[in-house]
Every structure is written in structure tokens, then in C-alpha cells.
Amino acid sequence: MKHKILFLFVLCSCLLASPAWAQHGGHNCGNCPHHKQHQQSGCQQAAASCQQKDGLAAEIVAAFPTAKSVKKAAKWTEVYDAKKVLLGYAVYSKPASDGIKGYAGETPLMVALDTKQQIVCVQMLDNQETPGFLQKVVNAGLLKSWDGMKPAKAVKKNVDAVSGATYSSNSIIQTLQAALRGI
């Protein structure tokens, strides 16, 4: 009986948990590098929003707290509120950034743009980089380097790598540039 209950608990947990929640061990401490990164990324996000909301990806909800629906377009994902009013756009770095690697692998991003197509925030997506190096990147403000810019200007902006996290930060810079080229 005990095993059946445990099995059902695990099964329900897997079915109900979002991928982001599950990938971070089901914790929501707010103190680990992943959650601190969200709190400091420039987007309106608390650690609790690592869970999906209304079927929307966590990064969409983080950048657009009133988001209720999305519509995929050629260059980006359009984000709408409950009244179908356009809130902005989400630009994902993949597949444009495929092959750009940091220290431990790719550093995928989501770039949130407002309705005037200015960058609202840049968010790290799930990756294999060392949390300590990513925390250096976040603490140095690298992800906020492009806030308020139009994509064309952001692509051309000369941004320095973060000392002590050079591979990761160079990968983030190149990934952002790849994602925003041609937008």
C-alpha cells in the first residue's frame, strides 16, 4: 500500500510540475543561483514564477506578468493579455544561436521586447553552465546591458565579457546577437 501511494504521489508530481520546476529539483528556495538569476535579471519575476502559468512558459510570465496567450510568428512570439491586447514580443535565441557555446554548453536566451520593440529584459533559459559563473554574469549586470534598446542597436553594442566568467558571458553576448540579427 505504501508503495502504491508513493507511486501515485510521484506520478502526480511529474504530471503537474512544469519542466522548469522539475528541472530545478522541485525546489523553490529563491536562494539558489537559478532563482537569484531570475530575481536580478531585470524582469518582474519572483522565484515562484518558475512554474508555468495558464500554460505559458515561465519566461513569458516573468517578462509579461499579465500574459494570457501567445501567438507564434516568424521572428518572435507575440504575447497578449486576457483582452487580446498585445503586450510585447518574446524572441528565443534558438535555433539562431545553435553552436554558440559557453564553458559547459549553449546559453539559450529569451529576449522580451515591448510593443515599441525595445528590449524589456533578457533571460537565461535552461542550460548546463556552472551556476557560480552564471551568478557572476547576473551580478555584473550583463543581462541588463541591452535594456531599453532596439534589436539593431543591441546587436551592434560592444559589451565586455564578465571577468571570471568569460566563456559564459561571451556566449551570452554572441547568443543575444544571433537571436536579434534581422529583427
Side-chain angles (χ1 to χ4, degrees), residues 102-103 107 129-130 133-134 137 165-173:
Y103 182 75
T107 54
E129 292 297 282
T130 306
F133 291 131
L134 285 183
V137 169
T166 307
Y167 289 116
S168 298
S169 54
N170 278 334
S171 177
I172 290 166
I173 294 164

Side-chain angles (χ1 to χ4, degrees), residues 13 17-29 32 34-35 50 126:
S13 296
S18 74
W21 180 262
Q23 185 156 7
H24 300 295
H27 73 278
N28 189 8
C29 63
C32 68
H34 166 77
H35 292 109
C50 286
D126 289 333

Side-chain angles (χ1 to χ4, degrees), residues 47 53 125 135 145 162:
K53 177 182 164 193
L125 300 178
Q135 193 59 50
S145 297
V162 175

Side-chain angles (χ1 to χ4, degrees), residues 98-165:
D98 286 352
I100 298 172
K101 297 191 182 207
Y103 182 75
E106 294 181 350
T107 54
L109 303 171
M110 188 280 290
V111 181
L113 306 172
D114 64 17
T115 56
K116 295 176 185 172
Q117 297 180 15
Q118 292 180 322
I119 297 173
V120 175
C121 67
V122 177
Q123 291 186 38
M124 292 292 307
L125 300 178
D126 289 333
N127 61 73
Q128 300 301 312
E129 292 297 282
T130 306
F133 291 131
L134 285 183
Q135 193 59 50
K136 285 183 181 186
V137 169
V138 171
N139 290 345
L142 181 66
L143 299 177
K144 295 180 182 183
S145 297
W146 302 279
D147 287 1
M149 293 183 172
K150 295 266 188 182
K153 186 175 180 183
V155 168
K156 294 177 184 175
K157 182 176 181 181
N158 186 17
V159 179
D160 291 330
V162 175
S163 179

